[in-house]
Each structure stands twice: as structure tokens, then as C-alpha cells.
Amino acid sequence: MSRFWSDINRVISPYIPGEQPKNEKYIKLNTNENPYPPSPQVVKAIEKVLNDSLRLYPDPTCEDLRLAIAEYYDLKKEQVHVGNGSDELLAFSFLAFFNPNGLPILMPDITYSFYKVYTSLFKINCEKIPLEDDFSIRPELFYKKNGGVVIANPNAPTGMFLPLEDITGILEHNPDQVVIVDEAYIDFGGISAVKLIGDYPNLLVIKTLSKSRSLAGLRVGYALGQKELIEGIDRIKNSINSYTLDRLALAGANAAIKDDAYFQEVRRRIIMTRERVSNTMGEIGFKVLPSKANFIFVTHPLIPAGELFQKLRENGVLVRYFKEPRIDNFLRVSIGSDQEMDSFISILKSILHQML
Ligand SMILES: *Cc1c(COP(=O)(O)O)cnc(C)c1O
């Protein structure tokens, strides 16, 4: 606490990102990064623009990248906003569509913890809607007066997918509010709400290249929605920073979107590994929530998750543990390569052997 901090700075509780160790001695299954490299086309495209053009500002409208994304999803470029990671787009969207000190926005009680951070930063009231005991979302609980809705689908950190008809129900019952659907993990087996955009002017879908396109280090996300929503985000962006994406990111992201064959292969592999690991974890006594993400959320009936987290860490495996109500006996495990997951399972088995 410093006397120089603004009033708002004194009361916010910033997000705490997962650990990024400097050396590579860990099997890193804690931040849902993709174990496979980005498309080779991405590196080539970045190398091509790695020259004196860096002298110049990048295209503030990000036209080429927006066109590539629009084409990929069969939308118009006016329906696409691109930004410096989806976290930043979420922040812009909260500013663009949710009022400070107004009706509360609704979000599940267990979800991506950054949403809560933005509400405290922007003084947006927030009501947490409890998930069912099995951690599923009950859409009817979102059918009430509110200042907006934000849902991660698949949800984080549970990995559970909400069927599109439930998203549709939430959209239908909130025609005057913006419903943000954060699809950071949708490419790992869920069904995207993008096809609903034409029918629902209140739908904003947010996606990222960080997970399924192996580009967490490039910081590129995008928002899809009808033109008036996209214009709303543009206005906020241009009131904070007109150049959120640099020349290298624009070039790399464009190449990533265009290399569909590579993308399909990578996500197929992750899904296969996830299914295999989920089965094995079940066999060795874990309860595994049904996941459509590139991570699984697991609990063991006999070993406290906090202790298991520590033991794994001592044995060179990083996973994520959230010391929060309802989920403090769960671990979130990112899906790595087959080799990494085999090592993880064998380390886990030896820990279980010691502890049971
Ligand atoms: C990883 C993640 C993001 C952030 O993605 P970036 O594009 O890397 O900022 C957003 N939402 C959820 C639910 C995530 O898990």
C-alpha cells in the first residue's frame, strides 16, 4: 500500500497469473499452454516483417487480420475486433457494455477469475450465480434482471461445456443486455456460438490464439459480434491505445488463422490425449469432470488437492490449485504432449503409492 496509489488502486485485487518458471525443469501443466509449437507458417510470416518496417506504427484497423478471421468464420470484417490477448478484449468489452454502479452483471460463482477483477476495477456490480453440485450451469438462473452476462464456454476451471441451446436460452431471456461468451477453449471439442451472431445482436463471442493455436506468447485475441458491438469495443480501444497489436503479432496471427490443416491436427491430438488421460486418471481413483477443454479438473477422494499439488511440484510437475470455496479440493491439469502426460501419470502413481 502506498500513499501515491489512487483510491481504486487501494481496493482492487489484481489477477494472479499461473507460475512461469525461468528454467525448464518442470513438466508445465499449470497455464493451459499448448504443448505443440505454432504453425511453421507463423514463424515464417513474422520473420518476413522483422525488418525496418518496425519503424512505422502498425495498421490501427488491423484490416488484414480481421479479414482473415472474418473469412474463416464466414462473417464480415465489421463483425471482428482483434486485440492484444483476449484478456484485454474482455476488459474493453466490460467497459464498452457494462455500467458502473448499475444492475449487477451475472457470472457463474466458479469461473475465470479475471472477470471479477474487471468488475472491481471498473466498479461494475456483480452477482455470482451458483453452479449446480455437479458444476454444470443452470441457464434458467440467468433469466433475471441484470446489467449483462459473462460466461466462459467451456467453463474455466471446470472444462465443462454448456450446450448451445442453453446459450440460446440465455440470449433470448436477455435481449437488452450484452451476453459475453468467452470461448478460449472452444476448439477442443465444444460447439461455438459464432453461428448465432446473425440472430442475436446481444451476443459477443471472444476467442484467443493462446490455447488452440499455440500462440500464448504472441498475445492475440479476437471478438466476434454484430457491427454495433464491434464498434462499441473499437471506441474503447481507441480511447486507451490505438495500436494494441504490433506488426509481428498481426503477421503471425494472420498466418496462424490461414494454416487450418495444422490447427486441425493439433487440436485433434490434444483431444485424443485428454480422453486417454481422463480415462487413466479415473482408473487410478480420481474423479474427473467431463472436459471439452485442453485441461482436466480432477479430485481424489482420499488425498487433499493442496497436498497433492505440493507433492507434484516437489517431483517436477506444475499444475494449478485454486484455494477457493467449492473447488479447493480440485487440481486443474493442462493437457501436455503424450510424453509429458505419461511422465505425469507415472509420477502421480508413485505419489499415490506413497500417500495411500
Ligand atoms: C486463457 C484464457 C483467456 C486469456 O487468453 P489470452 O488471449 O491469452 O489473454 C481468456 N479467458 C479464459 C477463460 C482463459 O482461460
Side-chain angles (χ1 to χ4, degrees):
M1 188 71 80
S2 156
R3 68 194 166 94
F4 297 116
W5 293 359
S6 66
D7 294 344
I8 188 74
N9 204 357
R10 287 160 190 264
V11 297
I12 53 177
S13 27
Y15 181 75
I16 303 165
E19 188 179 352
Q20 293 291 355
K22 286 265 183 327
N23 53 39
E24 296 197 356
K25 68 174 181 178
Y26 289 105
I27 299 178
K28 197 171 172 305
L29 308 176
N30 66 332
T31 53
N32 299 340
E33 286 139 331
N34 197 309
Y36 301 108
S39 154
Q41 302 306 322
V42 170
V43 178
K44 278 192 205 156
I46 292 176
E47 278 170 353
K48 247 189 173 160
V49 294
L50 201 49
N51 54 41
D52 292 352
S53 70
L54 288 177
R55 188 174 68 76
L56 300 169
Y57 281 109
D59 171 12
T61 67
C62 305
E63 170 119 352
D64 293 346
L65 178 57
R66 283 168 53 226
L67 270 171
I69 292 170
E71 193 170 309
Y72 190 83
Y73 291 103
D74 208 5
L75 296 168
K76 300 198 188 81
K77 72 172 193 292
E78 290 75 22
Q79 298 174 308
V80 181
H81 179 99
V82 294
N84 182 29
S86 59
D87 286 336
E88 190 178 84
L89 287 183
L90 285 159
F92 288 173
S93 304
F94 276 43
L95 271 175
F97 308 119
F98 303 153
N99 285 316
N101 308 314
L103 279 175
I105 67 162
L106 309 182
M107 66 179 78
D109 62 338
I110 296 161
T111 193
Y112 188 41
S113 49
F114 231 135
Y115 306 149
K116 190 77 216 307
V117 175
Y118 299 134
T119 59
S120 70
L121 180 60
F122 303 141
K123 298 192 170 169
I124 297 162
N125 291 319
C126 153
E127 181 180 341
K128 295 192 162 189
I129 304 294
L131 297 180
E132 303 289 272
D133 289 340
D134 66 358
F135 295 113
S136 59
I137 289 174
R138 202 164 124 209
E140 295 79 18
L141 299 181
F142 290 79
Y143 300 175
K144 63 194 274 187
K145 242 176 130 55
N146 65 66
V149 174
V150 59
I151 283 177
N153 197 29
N155 198 9
T158 64
M160 288 170 63
F161 173 69
L162 184 67
L164 270 203
E165 57 264 32
D166 293 341
I167 298 280
T168 309
I170 294 171
L171 288 163
E172 300 256 344
H173 285 83
N174 292 282
D176 300 322
Q177 265 64 46
V178 172
V179 175
I180 297 178
V181 181
D182 177 354
E183 294 191 346
Y185 300 106
I186 198 70
D187 297 325
F188 302 105
I191 298 164
S192 173
V194 167
K195 59 167 89 62
L196 304 175
I197 285 173
D199 292 328
Y200 296 96
N202 56 335
L203 170 62
L204 186 74
V205 178
I206 293 190
K207 294 179 191 261
T208 175
L209 302 198
S210 295
K211 284 42 184 256
S212 57
R213 306 261 179 181
S214 312
L215 286 171
L218 201 65
R219 311 302 307 128
V220 182
Y222 49 102
L224 308 173
Q226 289 194 13
K227 188 169 161 233
E228 58 179 319
L229 294 191
I230 299 305
E231 279 174 1
I233 305 173
D234 287 341
R235 289 169 60 84
I236 300 293
K237 181 198 87 152
N238 285 317
S239 303
I240 295 179
N241 174 9
S242 287
Y243 306 103
T244 50
L245 280 183
D246 61 69
R247 288 176 168 269
L248 309 186
L250 287 170
N254 200 315
I257 296 290
K258 289 190 168 141
D259 193 351
D260 195 47
Y262 185 89
F263 165 70
Q264 297 298 346
E265 172 58 19
V266 165
R267 65 179 188 143
R268 187 189 65 83
R269 276 203 222 175
I270 304 261
I271 292 169
M272 278 182 41
T273 308
R274 178 190 69 213
E275 295 306 301
R276 183 172 71 81
V277 172
S278 298
N279 286 334
T280 310
M281 299 278 291
E283 282 161 20
I284 61 176
F286 284 85
K287 180 175 175 221
V288 183
L289 298 192
S291 170
K292 291 269 188 252
N294 68 337
F295 58 83
I296 49 177
F297 205 48
V298 302
T299 182
H300 194 281
L302 302 175
I303 306 174
E307 282 177 41
L308 193 50
F309 169 81
Q310 270 311 330
K311 283 270 186 239
L312 282 166
R313 198 167 196 289
E314 285 159 22
N315 285 276
V317 181
L318 287 185
V319 299
R320 195 85 191 259
Y321 173 59
F322 300 96
K323 211 174 171 160
E324 280 157 32
R326 294 186 75 184
I327 55 170
D328 60 357
N329 205 24
F330 280 79
L331 293 179
R332 192 193 70 187
V333 182
S334 307
I335 301 299
S337 65
D338 280 308
Q339 210 180 6
E340 287 173 318
M341 298 318 281
D342 289 345
S343 306
F344 162 70
I345 295 280
S346 96
I347 291 166
L348 193 58
K349 280 182 178 165
S350 74
I351 294 173
L352 291 187
H353 196 75
Q354 286 166 30
M355 294 182 85
L356 291 174

